[in-house]
Amino acid sequence: MTIRALFLAHTAAPSGAELATSRLLGALRAERLAEVAMIYTEDGPMVERTRARGVETHVLHGTFDSRAMTIGSGPLRLLAGAIALLRLGWALGGHPATRRADVLVAESTKALVMGTVAARRARIPLVWQVHDRIAADYFGRLPALVVGLLGRFAAQGFLANSRTTLATLRTGGRPAEVAYPGVELGIAPLRAAQRDPEETVIAVLGRVAPWKGQDVLLRAVAATKVRPRRVLLIGGTFFDEESFGAEVDRLAADLALPVTRTGHVDDPRPYLCDADILVHCSVLPEPFGQVVVEGMHAGCAVIASAPGGPEEIVTTGVDGLLVPGGDEAALTAALDSLIGAPALRTRLAVAGRERAKAFDVAATARSVAAFLGRIVQHRGAAHV
C-alpha cells in the first residue's frame, strides 16, 4: 500500500530544515515511495520551490506570524503566538489535504503544536520530524522541557536528523529513527585544484546568525599565519537576525579581511566549487550539519565544529578536521594547517567526496517511507 503523507511547515523561508524537507519530498515523489503533499502556513520562497519539484503544495493562511515565537520572546508574545498556532491547527485538521492523508509529519516545534490539534481532528497519526536539538542551550530550560513533553505525548513517532538530536528527545518508548537530511549528490561537480596558500578561498555556508559563529570565523582568520585571498559568507539573514549581519560586516571591515557576503543564494554549489576550504563554525552543538556534506561533495577540505552532528559525518584527519565549537584558537590552528598545506587539503577533499556518498537523499527517502509506513500500519492495527 502506498501511504499518503502530508508534511507541515510553519515557515516558507529557505532555511536548512525547509530545504532538507523539500529535497526529501522530491525524492519520495521521484522514487514513488509515497504520495506526498506539503502545507505551509505562510507564503514565501519555499512554496514555489516545492511546487517546482512537482509536489502538491498548499498555503493555509492565518493570523500566525512565524516571528512571534522566536527564542527570547516575552511571555505575552509567546501566549499570543501559541493561541494563533492552535487556531491554525484546528483549521488544518479540516483541510482537504489533511482529510486525505494517512499521516501528518510536523517539520518544526511550531508545526508540532499545530499538528497536535490537526492530527486529532483528522484522526490520523502525527510524526514529528525533528531538525533541532531539544535542549536548554538552544531553546532555554523551560521551553525545551515544554516542547519535549509535548512531543512525548502528542507524536506517535519521531524522525530525528541525527543521533545527536535523537538523544535530546523524550520518545516515551514510541518508534524513533535517525533520518539524516539527504543531499542531492548527482555527479560530483568539476572544480580546479587546491590553490597555493596565499590564494586560498574559504567559504562558510549557512544563515548568518549568532549561533552559526561567522564572527568566530572572522576573528580566527584574522589570526592565521597566511591570510586567505577571499572569505565567502554564503547565506542570508532570517528571523530578526539582520542586526547580526551588520555586526559581521563591521567586524570584517575592522579586521581588514577580504570578505564577500552573498546573501541568500538558491544554489550555493558554484561558490563551494570555487572554495578550497569549507568551514562550519557553529558555537552550539549542531543538530546535523548539511553544509558539511555539501562542502565535502563539492570537493572542499572541511573544518567543522564539535560536538554535535558533524561528529557523525567527519572523521577528523581522515575526511576533514573537527575543532571545538567557539574555540577561536583551535579554529585558527586548523586553518593554518590547511592553508599552508595544499596537499593535505587535497587528501581530505578526496576522502570527503567519498564520505558524502553516504548521505544521498534517495537513501533517506527510502528510510523515511518505510518508517511512515510502519506508523500508519501500527495505527491501523490498533483501531481494528
Side-chain angles (χ1 to χ4, degrees):
M1 179 188 73
T2 301
I3 64 166
R4 296 164 295 183
L6 176 64
F7 290 71
L8 169 64
H10 76 276
T11 178
S15 194
E18 288 69 42
L19 293 168
T21 300
S22 179
R23 291 194 300 270
L24 173 62
L25 291 173
L28 287 167
R29 181 179 180 277
E31 300 288 328
R32 299 183 178 180
L33 297 167
E35 294 180 17
V36 294
M38 185 77 210
I39 190 160
Y40 296 98
T41 58
E42 64 177 18
D43 208 345
M46 290 307 304
V47 174
E48 289 308 314
R49 291 186 68 158
T50 306
R51 285 175 178 158
R53 292 180 178 274
V55 175
E56 177 188 327
T57 305
H58 306 270
V59 179
L60 179 65
H61 292 287
T63 58
F64 175 69
D65 180 354
S66 63
R67 295 168 296 181
M69 296 181 72
T70 55
I71 296 170
S73 298
L76 292 179
R77 195 176 184 189
L78 286 172
L79 178 61
I83 292 171
L85 283 176
L86 293 172
R87 288 174 176 168
L88 267 176
W90 181 258
L92 174 66
H95 193 282
T98 311
R99 293 294 188 184
R100 293 194 301 269
D102 297 312
V103 59
L104 179 63
V105 185
E107 290 295 323
S108 67
T109 55
K110 295 167 189 174
L112 174 66
V113 176
M114 291 184 282
T116 299
V117 177
R120 287 185 178 276
R121 184 180 181 190
R123 299 180 182 275
I124 57 176
L126 174 66
V127 169
W128 185 16
Q129 184 156 21
V130 193
H131 299 273
D132 295 312
R133 294 166 49 256
I134 310 304
D137 61 359
Y138 182 70
F139 282 93
R141 189 175 301 276
L142 180 58
L145 176 63
V146 171
V147 170
L149 289 174
L150 177 62
R152 160 70 177 81
F153 291 107
Q156 280 72 58
F158 303 81
L159 286 165
N161 66 351
S162 68
R163 295 192 302 272
T164 296
T165 295
L166 182 58
T168 69
L169 302 181
R170 299 168 181 260
T171 65
R174 291 180 176 177
E177 188 166 307
V178 172
Y180 290 120
V183 177
E184 292 169 324
L185 298 176
I187 299 172
L190 297 174
R191 57 170 298 132
Q194 290 282 332
R195 298 178 176 89
D196 292 335
E198 296 80 5
E199 296 298 313
T200 303
V201 175
I202 295 173
V204 177
L205 173 60
R207 91 176 193 253
V208 180
W211 79 277
K212 291 293 187 179
Q214 285 89 355
D215 55 335
V216 174
L217 180 276
L218 294 187
R219 287 190 289 268
V221 168
T224 55
K225 296 173 183 175
V226 178
R227 284 198 174 190
R229 178 171 62 85
R230 190 158 47 125
V231 178
L232 297 171
L233 301 185
I234 310 164
T237 52
F238 302 103
F239 313 120
D240 296 328
E241 290 161 345
E242 291 83 359
S243 61
F244 180 71
E247 180 183 326
V248 167
D249 292 336
R250 288 192 297 271
L251 181 60
D254 291 343
L255 297 173
L257 292 175
V259 172
T260 299
R261 205 149 72 83
T262 68
H264 173 74
V265 294
D266 286 338
D267 184 2
R269 287 175 294 183
Y271 291 98
L272 294 178
C273 288
D274 187 45
D276 300 289
I277 302 169
L278 183 282
V279 180
H280 164 275
C281 46
S282 295
V283 299
L284 295 177
E286 184 80 45
F288 175 62
Q290 300 173 54
V291 300
V292 176
V293 179
E294 292 178 74
M296 286 175 156
H297 181 57
C300 299
V302 169
I303 300 173
S305 293
E311 288 184 315
E312 301 174 40
I313 305 169
V314 175
T315 300
T316 194
V318 176
D319 44 33
L321 298 178
L322 291 170
V323 298
D327 189 330
E328 292 176 18
L331 182 51
T332 295
L335 286 167
D336 279 336
S337 69
L338 292 188
I339 292 173
L344 175 59
R345 281 186 257 138
T346 299
R347 178 173 66 80
L348 295 178
V350 169
R353 271 193 163 174
E354 189 63 29
R355 175 60 177 151
K357 295 177 183 178
F359 300 96
D360 189 345
V361 69
T364 300
R366 289 191 290 272
S367 175
V368 168
F371 181 83
L372 295 179
R374 292 194 296 272
I375 294 296
V376 171
Q377 185 177 31
H378 181 266
R379 175 77 170 212
H383 285 78
V384 171

